Short mmCIF file of all heavy atoms in Angstrom, two decimals:
data_model
loop_
_atom_site.label_atom_id
_atom_site.label_comp_id
_atom_site.label_asym_id
_atom_site.label_seq_id
_atom_site.Cartn_x
_atom_site.Cartn_y
_atom_site.Cartn_z
N ALA A 89 -13.27 4.04 -22.14
CA ALA A 89 -12.61 4.26 -23.44
C ALA A 89 -12.59 5.70 -23.92
O ALA A 89 -11.78 6.05 -24.76
CB ALA A 89 -13.29 3.38 -24.49
N SER A 90 -13.48 6.55 -23.41
CA SER A 90 -13.53 7.94 -23.87
C SER A 90 -14.32 8.77 -22.86
O SER A 90 -15.02 8.21 -22.00
CB SER A 90 -14.21 8.04 -25.24
OG SER A 90 -15.58 7.72 -25.12
N GLY A 91 -14.24 10.08 -23.03
CA GLY A 91 -15.03 10.96 -22.18
C GLY A 91 -16.51 10.72 -22.39
O GLY A 91 -17.31 10.77 -21.44
N LEU A 92 -16.90 10.43 -23.63
CA LEU A 92 -18.33 10.20 -23.88
C LEU A 92 -18.81 8.88 -23.29
O LEU A 92 -19.96 8.78 -22.87
CB LEU A 92 -18.63 10.27 -25.38
CG LEU A 92 -18.80 11.71 -25.87
CD1 LEU A 92 -19.07 11.75 -27.37
CD2 LEU A 92 -19.93 12.43 -25.14
N ALA A 93 -17.93 7.89 -23.22
CA ALA A 93 -18.31 6.65 -22.53
C ALA A 93 -18.50 6.94 -21.04
O ALA A 93 -19.41 6.39 -20.39
CB ALA A 93 -17.24 5.57 -22.72
N SER A 95 -19.53 9.84 -19.61
CA SER A 95 -20.81 10.51 -19.34
C SER A 95 -21.97 9.53 -19.52
O SER A 95 -22.92 9.53 -18.74
CB SER A 95 -20.98 11.76 -20.22
OG SER A 95 -20.89 11.43 -21.59
N TYR A 116 -20.59 20.48 -23.72
CA TYR A 116 -19.85 20.08 -24.92
C TYR A 116 -20.87 19.49 -25.92
O TYR A 116 -21.76 18.72 -25.51
CB TYR A 116 -18.79 19.07 -24.51
CG TYR A 116 -18.25 18.23 -25.64
CD1 TYR A 116 -17.60 18.83 -26.72
CD2 TYR A 116 -18.40 16.85 -25.64
CE1 TYR A 116 -17.11 18.06 -27.77
CE2 TYR A 116 -17.91 16.07 -26.68
CZ TYR A 116 -17.27 16.69 -27.74
OH TYR A 116 -16.80 15.94 -28.77
N THR A 119 -21.64 15.73 -25.90
CA THR A 119 -22.42 15.29 -24.73
C THR A 119 -23.88 15.68 -24.94
O THR A 119 -24.80 14.91 -24.64
CB THR A 119 -21.87 15.95 -23.44
OG1 THR A 119 -20.46 15.80 -23.41
CG2 THR A 119 -22.48 15.34 -22.21
N TYR A 157 -26.80 17.20 -13.87
CA TYR A 157 -25.53 17.11 -14.62
C TYR A 157 -25.09 18.49 -15.08
O TYR A 157 -25.91 19.28 -15.56
CB TYR A 157 -25.74 16.22 -15.86
CG TYR A 157 -24.47 15.78 -16.54
CD1 TYR A 157 -23.93 14.52 -16.30
CD2 TYR A 157 -23.81 16.62 -17.44
CE1 TYR A 157 -22.77 14.10 -16.93
CE2 TYR A 157 -22.64 16.20 -18.07
CZ TYR A 157 -22.13 14.94 -17.81
OH TYR A 157 -20.98 14.52 -18.43
N GLU A 159 -21.26 20.96 -16.40
CA GLU A 159 -19.82 21.02 -16.70
C GLU A 159 -19.18 22.16 -15.94
O GLU A 159 -19.71 23.27 -15.94
CB GLU A 159 -19.59 21.28 -18.20
CG GLU A 159 -19.68 20.05 -19.06
CD GLU A 159 -19.40 20.37 -20.53
OE1 GLU A 159 -18.77 21.39 -20.84
OE2 GLU A 159 -19.85 19.57 -21.36
N LEU A 161 -16.58 24.15 -16.52
CA LEU A 161 -16.22 25.34 -17.31
C LEU A 161 -16.65 25.12 -18.75
O LEU A 161 -15.82 24.84 -19.61
CB LEU A 161 -14.70 25.50 -17.28
CG LEU A 161 -14.10 26.42 -16.24
CD1 LEU A 161 -12.59 26.28 -16.22
CD2 LEU A 161 -14.48 27.87 -16.55
N ASN A 163 -17.88 25.36 -22.62
CA ASN A 163 -17.70 26.31 -23.71
C ASN A 163 -19.00 26.34 -24.51
O ASN A 163 -19.73 25.36 -24.52
CB ASN A 163 -16.44 25.94 -24.51
CG ASN A 163 -16.70 25.09 -25.71
OD1 ASN A 163 -17.21 25.59 -26.69
ND2 ASN A 163 -16.37 23.80 -25.63
N ASP A 188 -18.93 17.17 -15.02
CA ASP A 188 -17.86 16.94 -15.99
C ASP A 188 -16.77 17.98 -15.70
O ASP A 188 -16.95 19.16 -15.95
CB ASP A 188 -18.41 17.10 -17.42
CG ASP A 188 -17.34 16.89 -18.48
OD1 ASP A 188 -16.13 17.04 -18.17
OD2 ASP A 188 -17.69 16.60 -19.64
N THR A 190 -13.70 18.00 -16.96
CA THR A 190 -12.66 17.91 -17.99
C THR A 190 -11.86 19.21 -18.13
O THR A 190 -10.64 19.18 -18.32
CB THR A 190 -13.33 17.59 -19.37
OG1 THR A 190 -13.99 16.34 -19.25
CG2 THR A 190 -12.32 17.54 -20.50
N ALA A 191 -12.55 20.35 -18.05
CA ALA A 191 -11.88 21.63 -18.30
C ALA A 191 -11.17 22.18 -17.07
O ALA A 191 -10.43 23.15 -17.19
CB ALA A 191 -12.91 22.65 -18.79
N HIS A 208 -14.49 12.78 -16.40
CA HIS A 208 -13.47 13.50 -17.16
C HIS A 208 -13.34 12.85 -18.53
O HIS A 208 -13.39 11.61 -18.63
CB HIS A 208 -12.08 13.33 -16.54
CG HIS A 208 -11.78 14.23 -15.40
ND1 HIS A 208 -11.41 15.53 -15.56
CD2 HIS A 208 -11.78 13.99 -14.06
CE1 HIS A 208 -11.18 16.07 -14.38
NE2 HIS A 208 -11.41 15.17 -13.44
N SER A 209 -13.08 13.67 -19.53
CA SER A 209 -12.47 13.16 -20.74
C SER A 209 -10.97 13.27 -20.45
O SER A 209 -10.42 14.37 -20.40
CB SER A 209 -12.85 14.02 -21.95
OG SER A 209 -11.96 13.76 -23.00
N THR A 210 -10.32 12.11 -20.25
CA THR A 210 -8.88 12.15 -19.95
C THR A 210 -8.08 12.50 -21.21
O THR A 210 -6.87 12.78 -21.14
CB THR A 210 -8.40 10.79 -19.40
OG1 THR A 210 -8.83 9.76 -20.28
CG2 THR A 210 -8.96 10.52 -18.02
N THR A 211 -8.78 12.48 -22.34
CA THR A 211 -8.22 12.89 -23.63
C THR A 211 -7.59 14.29 -23.57
O THR A 211 -6.69 14.59 -24.34
CB THR A 211 -9.39 12.94 -24.66
OG1 THR A 211 -10.18 11.76 -24.54
CG2 THR A 211 -8.91 13.10 -26.07
N LYS A 212 -8.09 15.12 -22.67
CA LYS A 212 -7.75 16.55 -22.68
C LYS A 212 -6.58 16.83 -21.73
O LYS A 212 -5.50 16.35 -21.94
CB LYS A 212 -9.01 17.36 -22.34
CG LYS A 212 -10.25 16.94 -23.13
CD LYS A 212 -10.07 17.25 -24.58
CE LYS A 212 -11.26 17.11 -25.47
NZ LYS A 212 -11.95 15.90 -25.66
N ILE A 221 -7.27 8.74 -26.48
CA ILE A 221 -8.65 9.02 -26.09
C ILE A 221 -8.99 8.17 -24.86
O ILE A 221 -8.67 6.98 -24.83
CB ILE A 221 -9.62 8.62 -27.24
CG1 ILE A 221 -9.32 9.40 -28.52
CG2 ILE A 221 -11.08 8.78 -26.82
CD1 ILE A 221 -9.87 10.78 -28.63
N GLY A 222 -9.62 8.79 -23.87
CA GLY A 222 -10.01 8.04 -22.68
C GLY A 222 -10.95 8.84 -21.81
O GLY A 222 -11.17 10.04 -22.03
N GLY A 223 -11.54 8.18 -20.83
CA GLY A 223 -12.44 8.86 -19.91
C GLY A 223 -12.41 8.19 -18.56
O GLY A 223 -11.90 7.06 -18.42
N ALA A 376 -9.95 20.30 -33.53
CA ALA A 376 -11.18 20.20 -32.75
C ALA A 376 -10.90 19.55 -31.40
O ALA A 376 -11.61 18.66 -30.97
CB ALA A 376 -12.20 19.36 -33.52
N ASN A 377 -9.85 20.00 -30.73
CA ASN A 377 -9.53 19.41 -29.43
C ASN A 377 -9.28 20.55 -28.45
O ASN A 377 -9.18 21.72 -28.84
CB ASN A 377 -8.28 18.53 -29.55
CG ASN A 377 -8.07 17.65 -28.33
OD1 ASN A 377 -9.01 17.34 -27.59
ND2 ASN A 377 -6.84 17.24 -28.08
N ILE A 378 -9.22 20.20 -27.17
CA ILE A 378 -8.89 21.18 -26.12
C ILE A 378 -7.95 20.51 -25.13
O ILE A 378 -7.82 19.28 -25.11
CB ILE A 378 -10.15 21.68 -25.36
CG1 ILE A 378 -10.93 20.49 -24.78
CG2 ILE A 378 -11.02 22.56 -26.24
CD1 ILE A 378 -12.00 20.88 -23.77
N ARG A 412 -12.70 29.89 -30.45
CA ARG A 412 -12.37 29.20 -29.20
C ARG A 412 -10.87 28.93 -29.16
O ARG A 412 -10.30 28.44 -30.15
CB ARG A 412 -13.12 27.87 -29.10
CG ARG A 412 -12.87 27.20 -27.75
CD ARG A 412 -13.49 25.85 -27.66
NE ARG A 412 -12.75 24.86 -28.43
CZ ARG A 412 -13.25 23.70 -28.82
NH1 ARG A 412 -14.49 23.39 -28.55
NH2 ARG A 412 -12.51 22.85 -29.51
N1 LIG B 525 -16.51 16.52 -22.01
C1 LIG B 525 -15.95 17.64 -22.48
C2 LIG B 525 -16.04 18.90 -21.65
C3 LIG B 525 -15.29 17.65 -23.71
O1 LIG B 525 -14.74 18.78 -24.18
C4 LIG B 525 -15.22 16.44 -24.45
C5 LIG B 525 -14.55 16.38 -25.77
O2 LIG B 525 -14.21 17.37 -26.38
C6 LIG B 525 -15.83 15.30 -23.93
C7 LIG B 525 -16.45 15.37 -22.71
C8 LIG B 525 -15.80 14.00 -24.68
O3 LIG B 525 -14.56 13.42 -24.54
P1 LIG B 525 -13.96 12.33 -25.56
O4 LIG B 525 -13.64 13.05 -26.81
O5 LIG B 525 -12.77 11.80 -24.81
O6 LIG B 525 -15.04 11.30 -25.74
#
Side-chain angles (χ1 to χ4, degrees):
S90 68
L92 278 179
S95 57
Y116 161 61
T119 312
Y157 194 98
E159 278 182 21
L161 265 171
N163 95 74
D188 179 337
T190 299
H208 278 280
S209 163
T210 52
T211 313
K212 312 294 190 299
I221 300 278
N377 193 24
I378 55 167
R412 185 185 74 199

